[in-house]
Amino acid sequence: MNILISGVTGAMGQVLDELISDSKHQVVAGFANQRVENLHYPVYTSLEDVEEEVDLVIDFSQPTSLQALLDYGKSNNIPLVIATTGYTDEEEGAIREASSEIPILFAKNMSLGINMTEKIVEQLAHALPQFDIEIIEKHHRYKKDSPSGTAKMLVEAAKTGRNDESPVLEGRSGLYDERLKNEIGVMAVRGGTIVGEHTVLFAGEDEVIEIKHSAQSKKVFANGALTAAEFLVNQSPGLYDMNDVLGGE
Ligand SMILES: NC(=O)C1=CN([C@@H]2O[C@H](COP(=O)(O)OP(=O)(O)OC[C@H]3O[C@@H](n4cnc5c(N)ncnc54)[C@H](OP(=O)(O)O)[C@@H]3O)[C@@H](O)[C@H]2O)C=CC1
Ligand SMILES: O=C(O)C1=N[C@H](C(=O)O)C[C@H](O)C1
């Protein structure tokens, strides 16, 4: 497969580049904000200039690249694996809309373990309606969006389990009344080189359950993205996620 990496000069782009170079696939072009000359393929600052034959795009960039990415995918009929986080509801709507024309796999966390964590959180939220749910996410000092895409995904899993529109409180400071019964609190921590940690706390009367996923290297996300690409390249237009790749519901 001929792959274009969007966000190729970033931390994830470079881990992915290394993984693909050890695979049966190849990176034929990159997309970034700034042009660089030290890679063995061209890095474009506009996708309109891409000349290479591209089978699929894997995107680890920033939300500001979204429109260019969707336009490129739609005009050239190229599937997109989108791993970027921090989109607004409107931007997520644009992804959904574009998926009526091309195959798009959009996943806020490409790891296998988080996929299972999501299912467990949904089940616990359903089974323990009287427990308070709090989510704590920790990431490296360079992360721009908060809370993380994964934390938002885990909130959705908890809401599905509770079958209600639980109010979400991001951060907690100052004078504030008691927590609402069905509130879901989300706290973000940033520092050092923490790859990505998500803890979901179920706090009941005199007992606490903690479900924790800890990514130990960025390779876990790159691996997931490449597996997702191998799945997506043969699909019809539509919106897919890691559940489709891993054969879950
Ligand atoms: N779904 C998942 O499993 C995971 C998702 N992520 C997400 O992936 C994204 C990237 O993470 P990370 O690699 O750490 O970030 P970095 O900041 O290290 O890299 C961002 C990359 O995107 C490029 N970029 C930024 N804006 C644009 C734009 N408008 N057009 C084209 N290229 C652009 C940057 O180029 P330049 O350097 O020239 O500015 C750079 O190459 C984040 O949203 C992060 O949350 C990360 C890990 C796992
Ligand atoms: O920016 C990161 O690094 C990560 N971002 C994703 C997120 O926002 O959830 C996935 C992972 O936690 C790493």
Side-chain angles (χ1 to χ4, degrees):
M1 195 176 0
N2 285 350
I3 298 174
L4 182 151
I5 302 180
S6 163
V8 70
T9 53
M12 277 308 306
Q14 282 305 286
V15 174
L16 184 61
D17 171 69
E18 205 177 314
L19 177 77
I20 295 174
S21 68
D22 288 338
S23 78
K24 60 184 180 198
H25 309 294
Q26 48 285 326
V27 182
V28 294
F31 178 41
N33 258 329
Q34 286 160 42
R35 201 175 289 279
V36 293
E37 305 290 347
N38 59 340
L39 296 171
H40 60 275
Y41 43 78
V43 174
Y44 294 93
T45 53
S46 164
L47 287 173
E48 287 173 4
D49 299 337
V50 175
E51 289 174 348
E52 288 66 25
E53 192 70 33
V54 172
D55 297 317
L56 179 138
V57 174
I58 301 180
D59 169 61
F60 283 95
S61 61
Q62 285 300 310
T64 44
S65 71
L66 181 66
Q67 201 50 56
L69 206 61
L70 297 179
D71 289 346
Y72 176 70
K74 287 192 291 184
S75 351
N76 298 284
N77 205 17
I78 293 176
L80 309 174
V81 172
I82 302 181
T84 297
T85 57
Y87 293 119
T88 60
D89 290 348
E90 205 179 20
E91 288 165 335
E92 291 198 9
I95 294 176
R96 214 167 300 119
E97 214 171 281
S99 73
S100 64
E101 292 179 48
I102 50 170
I104 298 184
L105 187 142
F106 175 42
K108 294 170 179 155
N109 193 307
M110 293 282 171
S111 74
L112 177 65
I114 272 291
N115 206 266
M116 285 312 296
T117 308
E118 198 184 0
K119 292 185 184 14
I120 294 165
V121 167
E122 184 179 327
Q123 283 171 13
L124 283 177
H126 179 73
L128 301 169
Q130 70 280 35
F131 280 47
D132 298 328
I133 303 177
E134 295 276 315
I135 299 175
I136 303 124
E137 59 100 331
K138 301 180 190 171
H139 284 86
H140 50 92
R141 61 166 72 101
Y142 307 106
K143 186 162 177 63
K144 297 192 174 80
D145 58 312
S146 71
S148 67
T150 311
K152 291 180 183 168
M153 195 172 102
L154 294 170
V155 164
E156 289 312 310
K159 280 187 182 177
T160 305
R162 288 268 155 105
N163 203 14
D164 70 8
E165 260 313 305
S166 312
V168 178
L169 185 71
E170 294 177 357
R172 199 173 262 117
S173 88
L175 262 188
Y176 174 72
D177 213 344
E178 286 174 16
R179 87 189 299 291
L180 299 170
K181 190 176 166 305
N182 61 345
E183 180 172 291
I184 301 176
V186 185
M187 312 298 142
V189 177
R190 295 286 174 269
T193 56
I194 302 170
V195 177
E197 250 183 56
H198 292 88
T199 305
V200 184
L201 217 74
F202 289 85
E205 290 296 325
D206 303 322
E207 55 180 336
V208 173
I209 301 172
E210 276 189 34
I211 305 295
K212 179 174 168 186
H213 179 269
S214 184
Q216 306 201 322
S217 89
K218 291 182 191 290
K219 276 192 277 185
V220 73
F221 308 124
N223 263 318
L226 190 56
T227 307
E230 286 169 345
F231 162 86
L232 191 71
V233 76
N234 296 317
Q235 301 300 321
S236 315
L239 188 59
Y240 302 89
D241 62 23
M242 288 309 277
N243 267 314
D244 299 301
V245 178
L246 303 168
E249 295 151 18

